Amino acid sequence: MAHLLSYPTTERSCGDQNYVSPRVMSIVVFLRMEDRINHLLSWITGQVIMHFLEGLGAASTLLIFVATSPVDLQLRAGRSIIHQTTPKPFKKSGPAAILATYGKYNASAPKAVIKAVTANDGKVSANPTQFDTEYLSPVIIGGQTLNLDIDTGSSDLWVFSSNLPTSQSNGHSVYNPALSSTSKRLDGYSWEIVYGDGSKARGDVGTDTVKVGTTTVTGQAVELADEISYEFQNDIESDGILGLGFDAINTGVQPVPQKTFFSTAKASLSAPLFTANLRKGKPGCYTFGYVDATEYTGSITYVPANSDNGFWEFTSNGYSVGTAAFRSSSFNAVADTGTTLVYLPDAIVRAYYRSVRGSGYNYAQGGYTYPCSANLPSFTVGIGTYRAVIPGSYITYATFDSITCFGGIQSNSGLGTAVLGDIFLKSQFVVFQTSPLRLGFARKPL
């Protein structure tokens, strides 16, 4: 015999897809007579308490909402068991709504709407390690999540893999192609990379589905490490590198170089670009296919980029130290998210540290150091008409004893170009775009 318990309700809007009903309208429960009486008494008691609490104001509203959130009902041995449930999240999409309407009326939707719906755009967090040495992002490869260093100064996507001996992969997440239904081995392919600091890695090559944020590509070349140097073994936070340089420097893969993740993805993006918004001591993000106007202030200044060397390179027109006058001095520089420090021509580095009391070149450390008590001036890079300022508080990289600090600005002697690494990039909002080929820089809240 069914017993109907009716409860007071609140009205909801027909279009409110995110609605969470604060009370249940009615529940049909099959109960024994004694249970029906108990439920009725409980309901009456609840009504008395509820009306009392409603007189207490806003605080009771929250209590009532929590106590009477949506429920699931199960019957066990003739008794009712009520479980709280959480409604599934619903994300509204304007373009999808428009496309659905055109489909309903059997009409052709505008190309812009179709592109907006099918766009493969996405955003992923960039999480700093100690001293902002590197920024790691969760990347899903064949359904397996690894923390990778997104690096605009290289063009390989390589990862710690199940091919590595345990002694080299301890503490890391590893990619196992055998656990992926979409992985494919590239027979006859191999890769090997030696970096400027002497670190190196090598192994086999395959393809798989790679997802960065919501930007997803299939058949992406993935380089599986089966041997790595101790530098990578000791970096227990990073599980590999995702290069966003240009395809020309994907020279580690043999016999045929492979495309980068961005090169594979860009045809499916709303625009052929990605952005970097690294932050000092806290998570930032990368976006793919669009520029998020909430992440910067003012306007974006664009300058031509040069990809001849495979890097995101541009020409700076000068610099200034602290409040001193701007000095015109043209030099080429690479915007490199995979490098920590800023490397500049010797003359500019010397000019900066002349303004830092107690600083000097420390031969034991191989770079410029200064007392940690020093008050560091800001450093400004000229980019067209824009002046990109690195606050003085961003320039110290690390403390190597209790009183001496290592500078985040160092000489580029032997590098052949200036390199603007994370010390610079975390002070700016940066756009990397291939068509037209350019870099954009803007101020942002720090």
Side-chain angles (χ1 to χ4, degrees), residues 260-278:
T260 66
F261 170 82
F262 176 63
S263 186
T264 304
K266 65 182 178 181
S268 65
L269 302 176
S270 295
L273 60 83
F274 63 92
T275 71
N277 183 10
L278 306 183

Side-chain angles (χ1 to χ4, degrees), residues 225-249:
D226 60 26
E227 182 182 340
I228 56 174
S229 61
Y230 73 92
E231 291 90 350
F232 292 118
Q233 296 174 40
N234 292 339
D235 182 4
I236 61 172
E237 295 181 276
S238 174
D239 304 319
I241 293 176
L242 190 152
L244 294 182
F246 292 89
D247 293 342
I249 55 174

Side-chain angles (χ1 to χ4, degrees), residues 387-420:
R387 300 294 179 257
V389 180
I390 311 174
S393 60
Y394 280 41
I395 292 174
T396 291
Y397 170 54
T399 302
F400 65 87
D401 63 29
S402 59
I403 59 173
T404 309
C405 284
F406 192 89
I409 294 177
Q410 298 293 339
S411 169
N412 72 337
S413 178
L415 291 176
T417 185
V419 179
L420 301 181

Side-chain angles (χ1 to χ4, degrees), residues 180-204:
S180 170
S181 62
T182 51
S183 70
K184 293 181 180 178
R185 177 185 173 87
L186 289 180
D187 291 329
Y189 278 73
S190 63
W191 66 281
E192 182 172 5
I193 296 176
V194 179
Y195 294 94
D197 62 357
S199 59
K200 57 185 178 181
R202 57 175 293 177
D204 298 326

Side-chain angles (χ1 to χ4, degrees), residues 39 43 69 98 128 163 205 222 237 247 263 336 357 380 386 416 425 437 440:
H39 273 269
W43 178 73
S69 58
I98 295 174
N163 298 338
V205 184
V222 180
E237 295 181 276
D247 293 342
S263 186
D336 183 0
R357 180 174 297 180
T380 299
Y386 176 63
L425 295 171
L437 182 56

Side-chain angles (χ1 to χ4, degrees), residues 21 49 72 101 132 137 197 203 225-226 363 367 384 396 409 424 429 444:
S21 174
I49 294 172
D72 280 340
T101 303
D132 297 348
S137 299
D197 62 357
D226 60 26
Y363 286 90
T396 291
I409 294 177
F424 168 80
F429 176 79
K444 65 182 182 184

